[in-house]
Amino acid sequence: MLYATNNYDNEDFIMEKIIWNESFSVGVLELDKQHKKLLKMLNKIIEAKNISVDSEAISDVLTEMTKYAEYHFKTEERYMIKYNYPNYAIHENEHKEFLRQTANFCIDVTEHKESTPTEILSYLEAWLINHILKSDMKYKSFVNKKGLK
Ligand SMILES: [Fe+2]
């Protein structure tokens, strides 16, 4: 799997799609499904990026993804509140930061700022992978012990 680099100047910069695998599983079917959908949306942006740098598809999918991420974060946070997850506040902050950042990207795309698509992709990819594999994994054993599957 090829991950994004910070080489924003490379015009031929091509990103590989991210394929969900078991290492992404948080052991909760509903949340795994939502993570898969988020990765699918990310892959759509990767495809759009490879076609055209200022493609309108990027703006559409970015908006769609932000909305879906918000919905997904609410699902996670609902479980955290329900089971009294001790790291809730830290986790919620990460979600808020993501939504703040993607809202800024939506504005950038609307204003047709140059080189934004690659920056957006690098951020989205790094954030999603890091967040799922590190932060979400921290609640995995906690919610699984509470019987959530
Ligand atoms: Fe999360």
Side-chain angles (χ1 to χ4, degrees):
M1 203 182 290
L2 180 74
Y3 289 134
T5 65
N6 288 325
N7 188 5
Y8 300 140
D9 300 327
N10 184 358
E11 291 287 325
D12 301 320
F13 180 71
I14 302 281
M15 279 173 68
E16 301 277 327
K17 289 185 189 179
I18 313 301
I19 311 298
W20 191 94
N21 62 63
E22 277 304 312
S23 72
F24 286 94
S25 177
V26 294
V28 182
L29 197 68
E30 183 185 15
L31 299 176
D32 281 348
K33 266 190 186 170
Q34 293 181 350
H35 285 150
K36 282 177 192 171
K37 190 161 176 177
L38 281 170
L39 290 181
K40 247 188 192 172
M41 289 174 162
L42 178 71
N43 287 335
K44 258 194 187 176
I45 305 180
I46 290 172
E47 275 177 5
K49 159 69 179 68
N50 291 337
I51 295 165
S52 161
V53 172
D54 61 354
S55 168
E56 241 181 59
I58 292 176
S59 147
D60 291 349
V61 179
L62 184 63
T63 308
E64 191 192 2
M65 191 176 179
T66 308
K67 275 186 197 156
Y68 191 75
E70 203 169 2
Y71 164 79
H72 162 66
F73 295 159
K74 276 187 185 144
T75 312
E76 271 188 359
E77 288 165 15
R78 210 167 33 237
Y79 285 129
M80 288 176 191
I81 292 166
K82 185 177 175 186
Y83 295 112
N84 242 324
Y85 180 56
N87 293 325
Y88 170 74
I90 296 166
H91 201 109
E92 189 206 17
N93 258 330
E94 283 190 31
H95 290 168
K96 275 188 186 156
E97 178 51 36
F98 177 86
L99 294 174
R100 237 193 321 267
Q101 188 61 55
T102 51
N104 285 335
F105 284 147
C106 286
I107 295 167
D108 285 352
V109 169
T110 316
E111 291 173 356
H112 300 290
K113 285 192 184 164
E114 271 181 52
S115 85
T116 301
T118 307
E119 282 177 58
I120 292 171
L121 268 176
S122 297
Y123 176 83
L124 291 179
E125 182 175 15
W127 193 92
L128 268 179
I129 291 170
N130 266 316
H131 186 77
I132 297 173
L133 296 182
K134 290 183 185 157
S135 305
D136 288 349
M137 282 309 148
K138 285 183 187 161
Y139 70 63
K140 181 176 181 172
S141 66
F142 180 83
V143 296
N144 291 174
K145 272 183 202 149
K146 299 278 180 184
L148 191 65
K149 281 179 185 167

